[in-house]
Amino acid sequence: MRGAQTSLLVSGTAALGGMAIGSTLGLMAAGSRPVVRDVISRITDVGIALPGLLVALILGTVFGVGRDTVIIALLVGFVPWAARVTIGPARQVLSREYVEAAFAYGRSTWFVLIRHVAPNIGSLIIVQTAVMFAVGILAEAGLSYLGLGSQSPTGSWGRFLNEAQPLIDRAPALILFPGFAITLAVMGFMLMGNGVQALMDPHRKGIELDANASRP
């Protein structure tokens, strides 16, 4: 329970913050001129290519190890990821006829992005946020295991694994319980993302409507 508080706080802050910033950048890139869109796309490519462990090591050297360092390191990785997965779908929505009609009516770009584009990619944003939660839990546990994350007396699943490793032959439960908690949390968020995607899939809804209409 103590470790869950830290792991969920770190992963949740990083996932929600990264998606908020990244999706905003993605929408801005999708609605901008090609030059601006290409610049933002190249920046996101560089951010995605940066190794997360290297970023954490650099931040740990500059700011010191701890929970805040892990949050910043995860944000550095999540922002370009969120921007990259937002640009493509947002551009597809912008090419639809009702969006072109909104522009012809005199609506501003930001009005169209907020009113028409964002709601239509909302399911994608929710799914990616759930995936980021799962990745954040794994990353926080890994960094804490290596000594770059939360420090004593703050509880963390990864630090629990590190401290229990010398006692694995005498008290294996000390490793099993944190490991099981990490596995359960990651699987839960991944399954939740898949469930939300299936629930909000318009093609799936259309199939269900067709099936119900065909019943006597």
Side-chain angles (χ1 to χ4, degrees):
M1 296 287 289
R2 182 70 173 178
Q5 181 180 3
T6 300
S7 298
L8 294 178
L9 175 63
V10 171
S11 61
T13 302
L16 295 176
M19 179 54 71
I21 300 172
S23 60
T24 302
L25 288 175
L27 290 173
M28 183 175 66
S32 301
R33 293 176 299 175
V35 175
V36 178
R37 182 171 62 246
D38 291 340
V39 171
I40 296 178
S41 298
R42 298 295 81 77
I43 294 175
T44 58
D45 291 340
V46 173
I48 294 174
L50 288 175
L53 181 59
L54 178 61
V55 174
L57 289 172
I58 295 174
L59 293 175
T61 303
V62 176
F63 301 105
V65 296
R67 184 177 60 187
D68 294 340
T69 300
V70 176
I71 293 176
I72 297 174
L74 291 177
L75 275 174
V76 172
F78 285 164
V79 168
W81 179 12
R84 170 56 66 184
V85 301
T86 303
I87 294 175
R91 292 186 62 190
Q92 291 180 359
V93 176
L94 285 171
S95 64
R96 295 178 181 173
E97 294 181 354
Y98 65 87
V99 175
E100 296 178 357
F103 281 122
Y105 189 73
R107 299 299 188 184
S108 65
T109 301
W110 277 109
F111 178 88
V112 172
L113 290 174
I114 296 174
R115 178 64 179 82
H116 298 290
V117 178
N120 280 282
I121 62 173
S123 61
L124 172 67
I125 292 176
I126 294 174
V127 171
Q128 291 301 320
T129 303
V131 173
M132 287 180 179
F133 258 100
V135 173
I137 290 173
L138 281 177
E140 191 277 333
L143 292 174
S144 296
Y145 177 81
L146 296 174
L148 300 173
S150 301
Q151 304 297 308
S152 182
T154 303
S156 172
W157 288 334
R159 191 169 61 79
F160 292 161
L161 290 175
N162 178 276
E163 294 175 350
Q165 185 173 350
L167 305 173
I168 188 173
D169 56 338
R170 288 175 289 175
L174 295 178
I175 283 184
L176 292 178
F177 284 116
F180 178 74
I182 295 172
T183 303
L184 185 64
V186 172
M187 288 182 59
F189 279 110
M190 295 295 290
L191 292 174
M192 183 181 70
N194 292 335
V196 171
Q197 184 179 24
L199 184 65
M200 302 182 69
D201 187 2
H203 299 291
R204 180 175 179 271
K205 290 182 179 180
I207 293 174
E208 290 180 352
L209 289 175
D210 294 340
N212 291 331
S214 62
R215 292 176 182 176

